Amino acid sequence: MQQPAKKSTSLTQFKLILDLLVLALFITVNAPQLTGLAGHEWVSFVFAAPFLVHLILNWKWIVSVMSRIFKKLPGETRFNQIWDMLLFTMMTLVIFSGTIVSEKALPALNIHIEIDPFWRSIHTTFANLLLLMFGVHITMHWKWLVSNFRRYVLQTN
């Protein structure tokens, strides 16, 4: 008796699953009232791994678009390029400042940093702005998300 062929996961399917994980973790990180401060900090650290994988998997597009930074590009591509650069910068600032103001995760690892109110205000301000920026990023890629969600999750075309 012949075994049915195993369905392999395509790169697009993997990216969709990864992006949905990033979205779920981002929503969780942005609801510290649900997770508590310790949960917020630990989920933030966990968020870094799939976020980095997202960047790595999209690196070819990033390099391709960045290599054309001074060339003529369609408006939507140019906006996406600039927006993603700002989003990456903002994400880096939020992660850095969040690490500096950690009250639970770092002390649990026996790392003690004196919390500076400046960094707390930077973290809060940029985290709130990042929420808006992330929403715009999702909106810019909405067609891809919906079409692949239908294709791979709902199994419709």
Side-chain angles (χ1 to χ4, degrees), residues 107-128:
L109 297 171
N110 208 22
I111 300 170
H112 302 280
I113 299 173
E114 187 174 330
I115 297 172
D116 185 329
F118 169 78
W119 287 109
R120 184 177 305 285
S121 74
I122 291 292
H123 182 69
T124 302
T125 302
F126 287 159
N128 289 333

PDB file of all heavy atoms in Angstrom, residues 107-128:
ATOM      1  N   PRO A 107      16.306  41.691  36.059  1.00  0.00           N
ATOM      2  CA  PRO A 107      16.628  41.317  37.441  1.00  0.00           C
ATOM      3  C   PRO A 107      16.499  39.811  37.687  1.00  0.00           C
ATOM      4  O   PRO A 107      17.269  39.248  38.470  1.00  0.00           O
ATOM      5  CB  PRO A 107      15.615  42.110  38.272  1.00  0.00           C
ATOM      6  CG  PRO A 107      15.335  43.316  37.439  1.00  0.00           C
ATOM      7  CD  PRO A 107      15.342  42.801  36.023  1.00  0.00           C
ATOM      8  N   ALA A 108      15.558  39.145  36.996  1.00  0.00           N
ATOM      9  CA  ALA A 108      15.423  37.690  37.139  1.00  0.00           C
ATOM     10  C   ALA A 108      16.661  36.978  36.597  1.00  0.00           C
ATOM     11  O   ALA A 108      16.984  35.867  37.020  1.00  0.00           O
ATOM     12  CB  ALA A 108      14.172  37.195  36.420  1.00  0.00           C
ATOM     13  N   LEU A 109      17.350  37.627  35.672  1.00  0.00           N
ATOM     14  CA  LEU A 109      18.598  37.084  35.119  1.00  0.00           C
ATOM     15  C   LEU A 109      19.819  37.598  35.874  1.00  0.00           C
ATOM     16  O   LEU A 109      20.948  37.443  35.431  1.00  0.00           O
ATOM     17  CB  LEU A 109      18.709  37.462  33.637  1.00  0.00           C
ATOM     18  CG  LEU A 109      17.617  36.894  32.722  1.00  0.00           C
ATOM     19  CD1 LEU A 109      17.715  37.515  31.330  1.00  0.00           C
ATOM     20  CD2 LEU A 109      17.708  35.378  32.654  1.00  0.00           C
ATOM     21  N   ASN A 110      19.557  38.256  37.010  1.00  0.00           N
ATOM     22  CA  ASN A 110      20.600  38.834  37.859  1.00  0.00           C
ATOM     23  C   ASN A 110      21.362  39.968  37.157  1.00  0.00           C
ATOM     24  O   ASN A 110      22.546  40.149  37.372  1.00  0.00           O
ATOM     25  CB  ASN A 110      21.559  37.762  38.389  1.00  0.00           C
ATOM     26  CG  ASN A 110      22.160  38.163  39.714  1.00  0.00           C
ATOM     27  OD1 ASN A 110      21.595  38.997  40.427  1.00  0.00           O
ATOM     28  ND2 ASN A 110      23.303  37.608  40.038  1.00  0.00           N
ATOM     29  N   ILE A 111      20.639  40.702  36.306  1.00  0.00           N
ATOM     30  CA  ILE A 111      21.194  41.889  35.652  1.00  0.00           C
ATOM     31  C   ILE A 111      20.422  43.081  36.207  1.00  0.00           C
ATOM     32  O   ILE A 111      19.203  43.172  36.031  1.00  0.00           O
ATOM     33  CB  ILE A 111      21.045  41.819  34.116  1.00  0.00           C
ATOM     34  CG1 ILE A 111      21.779  40.591  33.575  1.00  0.00           C
ATOM     35  CG2 ILE A 111      21.554  43.107  33.469  1.00  0.00           C
ATOM     36  CD1 ILE A 111      21.494  40.299  32.114  1.00  0.00           C
ATOM     37  N   HIS A 112      21.122  43.957  36.864  1.00  0.00           N
ATOM     38  CA  HIS A 112      20.465  45.093  37.513  1.00  0.00           C
ATOM     39  C   HIS A 112      20.952  46.397  36.880  1.00  0.00           C
ATOM     40  O   HIS A 112      22.143  46.682  36.869  1.00  0.00           O
ATOM     41  CB  HIS A 112      20.743  45.079  39.019  1.00  0.00           C
ATOM     42  CG  HIS A 112      20.296  43.807  39.664  1.00  0.00           C
ATOM     43  ND1 HIS A 112      18.987  43.567  39.997  1.00  0.00           N
ATOM     44  CD2 HIS A 112      20.979  42.674  39.993  1.00  0.00           C
ATOM     45  CE1 HIS A 112      18.885  42.352  40.512  1.00  0.00           C
ATOM     46  NE2 HIS A 112      20.081  41.792  40.519  1.00  0.00           N
ATOM     47  N   ILE A 113      19.999  47.144  36.364  1.00  0.00           N
ATOM     48  CA  ILE A 113      20.287  48.432  35.740  1.00  0.00           C
ATOM     49  C   ILE A 113      19.432  49.479  36.443  1.00  0.00           C
ATOM     50  O   ILE A 113      18.236  49.261  36.656  1.00  0.00           O
ATOM     51  CB  ILE A 113      19.946  48.414  34.227  1.00  0.00           C
ATOM     52  CG1 ILE A 113      20.780  47.356  33.500  1.00  0.00           C
ATOM     53  CG2 ILE A 113      20.150  49.788  33.607  1.00  0.00           C
ATOM     54  CD1 ILE A 113      20.394  47.156  32.040  1.00  0.00           C
ATOM     55  N   GLU A 114      20.048  50.600  36.778  1.00  0.00           N
ATOM     56  CA  GLU A 114      19.273  51.682  37.383  1.00  0.00           C
ATOM     57  C   GLU A 114      18.382  52.289  36.302  1.00  0.00           C
ATOM     58  O   GLU A 114      18.849  52.673  35.227  1.00  0.00           O
ATOM     59  CB  GLU A 114      20.203  52.750  37.954  1.00  0.00           C
ATOM     60  CG  GLU A 114      19.444  53.806  38.731  1.00  0.00           C
ATOM     61  CD  GLU A 114      20.380  54.787  39.422  1.00  0.00           C
ATOM     62  OE1 GLU A 114      21.495  54.395  39.793  1.00  0.00           O
ATOM     63  OE2 GLU A 114      19.962  55.948  39.572  1.00  0.00           O
ATOM     64  N   ILE A 115      17.094  52.368  36.589  1.00  0.00           N
ATOM     65  CA  ILE A 115      16.125  52.829  35.594  1.00  0.00           C
ATOM     66  C   ILE A 115      16.109  54.349  35.556  1.00  0.00           C
ATOM     67  O   ILE A 115      15.847  55.012  36.555  1.00  0.00           O
ATOM     68  CB  ILE A 115      14.729  52.264  35.890  1.00  0.00           C
ATOM     69  CG1 ILE A 115      14.779  50.735  35.774  1.00  0.00           C
ATOM     70  CG2 ILE A 115      13.696  52.841  34.935  1.00  0.00           C
ATOM     71  CD1 ILE A 115      13.533  50.034  36.211  1.00  0.00           C
ATOM     72  N   ASP A 116      16.390  54.864  34.383  1.00  0.00           N
ATOM     73  CA  ASP A 116      16.416  56.302  34.149  1.00  0.00           C
ATOM     74  C   ASP A 116      15.047  56.722  33.600  1.00  0.00           C
ATOM     75  O   ASP A 116      14.570  56.153  32.624  1.00  0.00           O
ATOM     76  CB  ASP A 116      17.519  56.609  33.129  1.00  0.00           C
ATOM     77  CG  ASP A 116      17.732  58.089  32.890  1.00  0.00           C
ATOM     78  OD1 ASP A 116      16.759  58.860  32.993  1.00  0.00           O
ATOM     79  OD2 ASP A 116      18.871  58.461  32.576  1.00  0.00           O
ATOM     80  N   PRO A 117      14.392  57.724  34.207  1.00  0.00           N
ATOM     81  CA  PRO A 117      13.080  58.175  33.724  1.00  0.00           C
ATOM     82  C   PRO A 117      13.100  58.602  32.245  1.00  0.00           C
ATOM     83  O   PRO A 117      12.106  58.468  31.545  1.00  0.00           O
ATOM     84  CB  PRO A 117      12.734  59.361  34.631  1.00  0.00           C
ATOM     85  CG  PRO A 117      13.589  59.200  35.836  1.00  0.00           C
ATOM     86  CD  PRO A 117      14.814  58.448  35.405  1.00  0.00           C
ATOM     87  N   PHE A 118      14.238  59.098  31.772  1.00  0.00           N
ATOM     88  CA  PHE A 118      14.360  59.481  30.362  1.00  0.00           C
ATOM     89  C   PHE A 118      14.070  58.288  29.461  1.00  0.00           C
ATOM     90  O   PHE A 118      13.300  58.381  28.502  1.00  0.00           O
ATOM     91  CB  PHE A 118      15.766  60.033  30.082  1.00  0.00           C
ATOM     92  CG  PHE A 118      16.060  60.202  28.614  1.00  0.00           C
ATOM     93  CD1 PHE A 118      15.553  61.290  27.917  1.00  0.00           C
ATOM     94  CD2 PHE A 118      16.834  59.267  27.941  1.00  0.00           C
ATOM     95  CE1 PHE A 118      15.816  61.441  26.558  1.00  0.00           C
ATOM     96  CE2 PHE A 118      17.097  59.403  26.582  1.00  0.00           C
ATOM     97  CZ  PHE A 118      16.589  60.499  25.889  1.00  0.00           C
ATOM     98  N   TRP A 119      14.692  57.131  29.759  1.00  0.00           N
ATOM     99  CA  TRP A 119      14.510  55.944  28.932  1.00  0.00           C
ATOM    100  C   TRP A 119      13.105  55.385  29.054  1.00  0.00           C
ATOM    101  O   TRP A 119      12.549  54.844  28.092  1.00  0.00           O
ATOM    102  CB  TRP A 119      15.564  54.886  29.258  1.00  0.00           C
ATOM    103  CG  TRP A 119      16.897  55.291  28.721  1.00  0.00           C
ATOM    104  CD1 TRP A 119      17.987  55.692  29.437  1.00  0.00           C
ATOM    105  CD2 TRP A 119      17.260  55.385  27.337  1.00  0.00           C
ATOM    106  NE1 TRP A 119      19.011  56.013  28.587  1.00  0.00           N
ATOM    107  CE2 TRP A 119      18.592  55.833  27.286  1.00  0.00           C
ATOM    108  CE3 TRP A 119      16.607  55.138  26.138  1.00  0.00           C
ATOM    109  CZ2 TRP A 119      19.276  56.043  26.097  1.00  0.00           C
ATOM    110  CZ3 TRP A 119      17.274  55.333  24.946  1.00  0.00           C
ATOM    111  CH2 TRP A 119      18.605  55.788  24.932  1.00  0.00           C
ATOM    112  N   ARG A 120      12.499  55.528  30.230  1.00  0.00           N
ATOM    113  CA  ARG A 120      11.105  55.086  30.384  1.00  0.00           C
ATOM    114  C   ARG A 120      10.183  55.915  29.497  1.00  0.00           C
ATOM    115  O   ARG A 120       9.302  55.386  28.834  1.00  0.00           O
ATOM    116  CB  ARG A 120      10.648  55.160  31.834  1.00  0.00           C
ATOM    117  CG  ARG A 120       9.232  54.619  32.007  1.00  0.00           C
ATOM    118  CD  ARG A 120       8.758  54.602  33.434  1.00  0.00           C
ATOM    119  NE  ARG A 120       9.610  53.902  34.368  1.00  0.00           N
ATOM    120  CZ  ARG A 120       9.725  52.582  34.478  1.00  0.00           C
ATOM    121  NH1 ARG A 120       9.049  51.802  33.680  1.00  0.00           N
ATOM    122  NH2 ARG A 120      10.510  52.044  35.383  1.00  0.00           N
ATOM    123  N   SER A 121      10.402  57.223  29.448  1.00  0.00           N
ATOM    124  CA  SER A 121       9.550  58.072  28.611  1.00  0.00           C
ATOM    125  C   SER A 121       9.809  57.800  27.121  1.00  0.00           C
ATOM    126  O   SER A 121       8.876  57.800  26.324  1.00  0.00           O
ATOM    127  CB  SER A 121       9.739  59.554  28.948  1.00  0.00           C
ATOM    128  OG  SER A 121      10.960  60.044  28.470  1.00  0.00           O
ATOM    129  N   ILE A 122      11.064  57.559  26.763  1.00  0.00           N
ATOM    130  CA  ILE A 122      11.390  57.195  25.377  1.00  0.00           C
ATOM    131  C   ILE A 122      10.664  55.897  25.012  1.00  0.00           C
ATOM    132  O   ILE A 122      10.034  55.781  23.954  1.00  0.00           O
ATOM    133  CB  ILE A 122      12.923  57.017  25.185  1.00  0.00           C
ATOM    134  CG1 ILE A 122      13.639  58.351  25.295  1.00  0.00           C
ATOM    135  CG2 ILE A 122      13.256  56.310  23.877  1.00  0.00           C
ATOM    136  CD1 ILE A 122      13.357  59.313  24.162  1.00  0.00           C
ATOM    137  N   HIS A 123      10.746  54.905  25.906  1.00  0.00           N
ATOM    138  CA  HIS A 123      10.118  53.612  25.643  1.00  0.00           C
ATOM    139  C   HIS A 123       8.603  53.762  25.478  1.00  0.00           C
ATOM    140  O   HIS A 123       8.028  53.243  24.513  1.00  0.00           O
ATOM    141  CB  HIS A 123      10.437  52.627  26.780  1.00  0.00           C
ATOM    142  CG  HIS A 123       9.856  51.279  26.553  1.00  0.00           C
ATOM    143  ND1 HIS A 123      10.302  50.430  25.564  1.00  0.00           N
ATOM    144  CD2 HIS A 123       8.846  50.616  27.184  1.00  0.00           C
ATOM    145  CE1 HIS A 123       9.598  49.318  25.586  1.00  0.00           C
ATOM    146  NE2 HIS A 123       8.707  49.406  26.569  1.00  0.00           N
ATOM    147  N   THR A 124       7.965  54.459  26.377  1.00  0.00           N
ATOM    148  CA  THR A 124       6.510  54.625  26.321  1.00  0.00           C
ATOM    149  C   THR A 124       6.082  55.390  25.072  1.00  0.00           C
ATOM    150  O   THR A 124       5.176  54.972  24.349  1.00  0.00           O
ATOM    151  CB  THR A 124       6.005  55.356  27.584  1.00  0.00           C
ATOM    152  OG1 THR A 124       6.400  54.599  28.734  1.00  0.00           O
ATOM    153  CG2 THR A 124       4.502  55.523  27.565  1.00  0.00           C
ATOM    154  N   THR A 125       6.747  56.489  24.791  1.00  0.00           N
ATOM    155  CA  THR A 125       6.398  57.316  23.627  1.00  0.00           C
ATOM    156  C   THR A 125       6.597  56.555  22.329  1.00  0.00           C
ATOM    157  O   THR A 125       5.696  56.505  21.474  1.00  0.00           O
ATOM    158  CB  THR A 125       7.248  58.610  23.620  1.00  0.00           C
ATOM    159  OG1 THR A 125       7.015  59.322  24.832  1.00  0.00           O
ATOM    160  CG2 THR A 125       6.892  59.482  22.426  1.00  0.00           C
ATOM    161  N   PHE A 126       7.761  55.936  22.165  1.00  0.00           N
ATOM    162  CA  PHE A 126       8.053  55.233  20.918  1.00  0.00           C
ATOM    163  C   PHE A 126       7.231  53.951  20.779  1.00  0.00           C
ATOM    164  O   PHE A 126       6.870  53.567  19.672  1.00  0.00           O
ATOM    165  CB  PHE A 126       9.541  54.961  20.778  1.00  0.00           C
ATOM    166  CG  PHE A 126      10.347  56.192  20.466  1.00  0.00           C
ATOM    167  CD1 PHE A 126      11.702  56.218  20.718  1.00  0.00           C
ATOM    168  CD2 PHE A 126       9.765  57.325  19.932  1.00  0.00           C
ATOM    169  CE1 PHE A 126      12.456  57.347  20.424  1.00  0.00           C
ATOM    170  CE2 PHE A 126      10.508  58.462  19.631  1.00  0.00           C
ATOM    171  CZ  PHE A 126      11.859  58.472  19.880  1.00  0.00           C
ATOM    172  N   ALA A 127       6.920  53.294  21.898  1.00  0.00           N
ATOM    173  CA  ALA A 127       6.081  52.091  21.834  1.00  0.00           C
ATOM    174  C   ALA A 127       4.681  52.448  21.343  1.00  0.00           C
ATOM    175  O   ALA A 127       4.090  51.724  20.539  1.00  0.00           O
ATOM    176  CB  ALA A 127       6.024  51.404  23.191  1.00  0.00           C
ATOM    177  N   ASN A 128       4.149  53.574  21.811  1.00  0.00           N
ATOM    178  CA  ASN A 128       2.832  54.023  21.352  1.00  0.00           C
ATOM    179  C   ASN A 128       2.864  54.385  19.868  1.00  0.00           C
ATOM    180  O   ASN A 128       1.948  54.047  19.123  1.00  0.00           O
ATOM    181  CB  ASN A 128       2.340  55.206  22.181  1.00  0.00           C
ATOM    182  CG  ASN A 128       1.969  54.793  23.589  1.00  0.00           C
ATOM    183  OD1 ASN A 128       1.595  53.659  23.846  1.00  0.00           O
ATOM    184  ND2 ASN A 128       2.099  55.715  24.530  1.00  0.00           N
TER     185      ASN A 128
END
